[in-house]
Amino acid sequence: MREITLSQAVNEAIAEEMRRDPTVFVLGEDVAEAGTPFKVLKGLVEEFGTERIVDTPISEPGFAGIAVGAAMTGSRPIVDLMFGDFLTLVMDQIANQAAKTHYMSGGKLRVPMVLRTNMGATRRSAAQHSQSLHAWVCHIPGLKVAMPSSAYEAKGLLKSAIRDNNPVIIFEDKMMYQEKAPVPEEEYLIPLGEAAVLRKGRDITFVATSSMVQVAQKAAEMLAGDGIEAELVDPRTLVPLDEGTILSSVRKTSRAIIIDEGYQSFGVTGEIAARIAEKAFYDLDAPVQRMGAMDVPIPFSPVLEDLTVPTPESVAERARATVRGEL
Amino acid sequence: MAHDIVMPMLGMVQDTGIIVSWHKQIGDAVKASDVLMEVETDKATVEIEAGFDGYVAALKAETGVPVPVGEVVAVITADKGEIETAPASPETTKAEAAPAEGAAPATPPVEQEAEKKTKGPAVASALPPAPQAHPRARPRSGRIHASPKARRLARERGVDLERLVRLGVPEPIHVSDLDKAGAAAFGMPATSLMRVTIARAPFEAFQEWVADEASVEIDGTNLWAAFAAGSLRAATGQGRDEEIVVETSRFPDTNGAVALTDPDCAGLSCLESGPTGGIAALTILDLTRSMLTDYRPAGDAALPHLTICNGQDSANFDLYLAFDPAILAAETAYAFLKELADRTQVPLRHLL
Amino acid sequence: MTKAAKKNTEAYLRMYRQMVRIRTFEDNANQLYLSAKMPGLTHLYSGEEAVAVGICEALEPTDHITSTHRGHGHCIAKGAEFKRMFCELLGKEEGYCRGKGGSMHIADQDNGNLGANAIVGGSAGIATGAALTAKRRGNKSVTVCFFGDGALGQGLLYEVMNMAALWKLPVIYACENNQYGEYTHHSETAAGELTARATAFGIESFEVDGQNVLDVNKLAQELVSRVRNGEGPFFVLLDTYRFHGHHVGDIDRSYYRSKGEEQEWREARDPIKILGDWLTREKIATAKELGAIRNDVKADAEAAVQYALDAPYPPLEEVNQHVYAA
């Protein structure tokens, strides 16, 4: 099977959906000729023109709000939010407008829009360009949140998101844009709300999101050398969350570590850990572990920045301690 | 004025360095150009100069242990007098990644100058630290720590978790511990039974003697508890500082179990029951006020369990001791009963 | 009467009726609040009727509007009917939003009302986005974004006006300056000239007396036609006044608005009276005819209020429905 980068996978997904449905269009900063600073949208303006690949001023609330209105009136906009940290700027339009319109109108108005943004530290981009804030939008009823962990997921999830009739926020890990993965040539979609078991094991379950999937994979390989077999579950979407797959896995292994790049406190790891504790309590042989980003503004200095996120070593160490009953 | 010396960044790929050896000791005078330590990186071993004139106030890293780059490994003070304020012994620093204890190495209490380039705060552990390990002594409250799954399986298999704890299984109990406990894990009873008959006259005479001498009526059951505690202490070799709790009940007059703590240590006239947090070392069922010559109530009496009955021969008491040989060796059980018999025959022995 | 004149008469009377409908609706809403029959609060549009009616009468049902927290007037002017509106205010199932939006989020999609919005300026993006869709589709529909003088403090408004101007979107930004943003006069919250804000983006701006429905309508017709022609966006500043407080509970308000000022506007600048007087003066309608319209609307409203009071609440299962669209 051919291998393409995450960036190419996103590009293909958008191009295919735009060919399929003329109401789909893209708006954001530097999306047209520049193809975004990450070059993900390179080439699209040549095929679809500036009417459908729309460069905006630096007005995040503005173009997010415009996307909401366009979606409410029959378009399917894809907003490109250059950095996930800018979620702060669009929160009113996303959380107060997009998320609630269908409900507040008693089911009459729909907001079929996608907001694509990124997450992930260790790029030396410092505190305001390195955050993983997906937990914020998971918290708002009415939104859906997808977390592709490789090029394969990126394409399949984005296509589903574009076809979904709800506001969907997709977070791409900015460190992964050049990473390749096998991606079929034939069309495929990954439904929102379906987790994937990427590695089977019997001793401990890793629930990992986005680039933490690769971290967990490496940790699992290290642990195999110690005779510990880890099972790896990638939720792929956080809202809706495929609880069933996660719980089945934990019931089998009786131990779990949730690994996510959002801040450790009050985030995704806590939510998933709580659901496991609620629903698989009597199958737990060890306390559920959480590994998120350190609760500090992300430092610039590389030696400090690299300490703030889970690594294969730290995950493996935590797993060993868990399996040995030390925690 | 004190200066922190940190593990230096020596290579492109390096995260940690290992101190091969210290060239200076605490208290040594040092010049900036003196070699303070040798550091091994992934490429080579490098001599690191002190960088400051002064005295070595603290060495904060052990040799041979990987230390993260940027972590404080030594402190040099300008003044010899400041050495006292710095910690004298090297603390173990930890490698990168989450340590099981979860604490970051403490920063030295000496003042840190803001403008020193080599100063760095002690590097916090890599991630939010792992939760504390739980090595626990046996709980006094009787609550046993076990994982939810272990608890569920124990219930399903009829395993007594308390028994596992007595067997020495450390808490918190995990599923794998249920397997380790062997037969005990499958709830199979393993009770041994010993019986002894003793004359009752000396015991009753003693009771009367104390009543006369001290003008105090001693409850018979409490007296048994006192003798039993003392006998158990002697048989197991426990000291008077170790607590022995005896739980007594009587039939009839089932007001419920009464717990006495160290009834052999207080004066006989002040045997009082009280609340106790401890698990009973011995339970006693006193049937002497009844007509019964034997009675084993259904249910799980905590072991070891002593039943005191009126003997089939009215001049005697019959004593039955039920015990778990995995917890109380047969020899010890016999020693206990022998000591108990001796004390009730010659009660003054107990008072000595 | 000529055909044209007759057509005009119909239009004038329709405008009169619509303004009366708004006023009557608001009077009833006020009573529902004061008699503790209405949950929550509401924000009354009384006094501003000419703005909503003058503009909406120039629009088709396929044109869109977005509204504000003070949205009953726009909703009625765009074609909504009493029963379903009262039901929505009371949280009943038959409301326009099945009782789930309430006064501040009332929306009437079939008539092109994309919704009232509780966030000040919050619908500016939505209106501009609707205009973007219209432009992309080339369907010549117009979007009117209603907002108040208070919204001139919101950055979002300037962001979207900038983009609307850059992309020549078919949208009219209608600023209803009722003099006060909540409890503060606009002179204390909006620096400089109000229309200069839009002209700074190269957007042609107009100012009109918001109490004169004919003036408003004339301007609206002109601008709507130009917008359909691709000449948008436009900015209109309408001077108006709300007779009641900021919300129904804002009763003791002399600390920010003098009774004298209120009285002056009510007596001399009531849009319904102004049109009524003009109609009778121009002999287009008699006082009796106008009175009949008012009575008719009054009866209509009373029946609708009773209907809504008797109407059922949504079933409880509704609480977690419509979070997501299928």
Side-chain angles (χ1 to χ4, degrees), chain C residues 244-264:
Chain C
H244 293 272
H246 167 62
H247 59 64
V248 282
D250 177 21
I251 293 167
D252 184 14
R253 50 186 181 266
S254 51
Y255 67 94
Y256 73 93
R257 261 180 17 168
S258 73
K259 288 212 188 311
E261 179 188 275
E262 291 190 9
Q263 197 178 7
E264 206 209 299

Side-chain angles (χ1 to χ4, degrees), chain C residues 230-276:
Chain C
E231 290 174 50
F234 296 110
F235 182 96
V236 182
L237 180 67
L238 304 109
D239 286 312
T240 182
Y241 199 82
R242 56 162 160 85
F243 290 165
H244 293 272
H246 167 62
H247 59 64
V248 282
D250 177 21
I251 293 167
D252 184 14
R253 50 186 181 266
S254 51
Y255 67 94
Y256 73 93
R257 261 180 17 168
S258 73
K259 288 212 188 311
E261 179 188 275
E262 291 190 9
Q263 197 178 7
E264 206 209 299
W265 279 84
R266 275 181 189 271
E267 286 170 6
R269 305 206 51 198
D270 181 329
I272 296 173
K273 281 206 201 106
I274 289 172
L275 179 63

